[in-house]
Amino acid sequence: MKPDRLHVLWAAAAQAETPKPEAGFEERVLRAVRLERLAAPACLGEQIARLLPRVAVAAGLVILAGITADLALAHAAPDDLSTSLTRLSEQWLFAVK
Amino acid sequence: MGQVRRYQEPVAQSNRVVNEDVELLARIRNGAVDDYAEIVRRHQAQVFAIVGRFERDPHHCQDLAQETFIKAWRALDQFDGRVPFQHWLAKIAVHTALDHLRRRRRARNEVGFDDLGEDALEWLRAPASDPAPGQARELLDLAMRALSPVERLVITLQGIEGRTVREISELTGSSGVAVRVRAFRARAKLRRALEQLEKRVP
C-alpha cells in the first residue's frame, strides 16, 4: 500500500454526490415537530392551566353535593346541625347512667 | 486533488441569511411553529451534505437529516445567537452522524468484501487510474469498519471534507490534541485495513 493511495481515495470520495432532500422534506419535519409538541411533557404552568377547568368542575360538583346533602338532611331532620350535635353529645358522651 | 464538494454559502448571502435566521427564530420561539419549515428549507442542503458523508443510503439520510432538525427544534431555547445558526446546526448534524455511526457499528470489525461492487474490486486489484467517486466511497466505507465511530467521524471530516483540526474541534467539542490523536490513529488503521483488502482481494 503506497501512502498516497489513501489520499487518492479521499480525493475521489470528496467528489461523490451526497443524497438530496426529497420533495416536501420540510413538511415531513414539520409534522414530526408537531407530533413532538403533542408528545412533549408540558411545563408546570401549562399543566396547571390544563387542569384548571377540571379542578373547577370538580369543586363545583363538591359544592353542589354539599348543598344537596344539607337540604336533604334539613328535610329529614328539622334540627340544625348544632342542635343535633348537642343532642348527640348529651346522649352518648355525657349520658348519666 | 479535485475540488471538495463541501457545502459553503457565499459570504454576502451567508450574512443576509444569518440576519433573517435570527428574525425567523424569534418568531418561532414566540409560537410560529410553521415558520420552522422555512428554517428547514434554508439549511437542509447543509445538513444533507454533512450526514450524507456518513450514510450513503438516501432513505437513511432523510431520517438522519430529520433527526438533526428535530434535535435542533428541541434545543432551540439553548441557541443564544453567539454563533450563526448554521454553525450551531452543523454541530448537531455532526453529533447526529456520530450517534448513527455508534448505532450502526457492527459487532465484528473485520473487513470483508460483501458490500463491495465489482468496479471497486477491480480498482483494488489494479489501481491504474483514479477511482470513481462511488467506488472510492464504497472502498472507504468498507475500510472504515475497522475504525471506531469517533475515529471515523474525525477522519471523514478531515480527509474527505477537508476540514481543519480547529474546525473539527469546534464541530465535535473535542480538544485539538484529541482530534489530532484520533486522526493519526484513524489514518494508521485505515491504511492497514486497505492493505488487508488489497492482499485478500479475490
Side-chain angles (χ1 to χ4, degrees), chain B residues 96-133:
Chain B
T96 303
L98 181 60
D99 290 343
H100 172 65
L101 292 176
R102 284 181 175 141
R103 283 195 299 262
R104 209 181 57 174
R105 189 179 192 189
R106 302 183 179 187
R108 58 185 175 85
N109 286 336
E110 68 186 53
V111 176
F113 296 100
D114 304 347
D115 302 331
L116 218 50
E118 187 53 40
D119 288 343
L121 283 172
E122 193 55 45
W123 188 83
L124 268 180
R125 286 186 201 110
S129 58
D130 287 354

Side-chain angles (χ1 to χ4, degrees), chain A residues 31-89:
Chain A
R31 274 197 300 277
V33 163
R34 288 196 190 105
L35 283 174
E36 179 88 0
R37 286 188 89 205
L38 287 175
C43 67
L44 188 64
E46 284 177 4
Q47 284 181 6
I48 291 171
R50 210 177 285 169
L51 277 176
L52 264 181
R54 292 181 193 174
V55 171
V57 169
L61 285 174
V62 168
I63 291 167
L64 202 65
I67 292 170
T68 311
D70 188 48
L71 286 173
L73 283 172
H75 279 288
D79 297 336
D80 62 6
L81 187 62
S82 63
T83 314
S84 303
L85 283 173
T86 309
R87 194 186 313 131
L88 200 69
S89 60

Side-chain angles (χ1 to χ4, degrees), chain B residues 142-163:
Chain B
L142 191 60
M144 280 190 193
R145 284 186 196 170
L147 309 186
S148 73
V150 179
E151 287 168 346
R152 183 170 181 168
L153 181 84
V154 168
I155 205 66
T156 301
L157 290 172
Q158 192 182 56
I160 301 177
E161 288 259 298
R163 293 186 188 264

Side-chain angles (χ1 to χ4, degrees), chain A residues 1, chain B residues 113 124 192-202:
Chain A
M1 173 76 197
Chain B
F113 296 100
L124 268 180
R192 274 201 300 276
L194 281 169
E195 280 169 10
Q196 274 184 13
L197 278 174
E198 280 175 15
K199 282 177 192 165
R200 292 169 43 208
V201 65

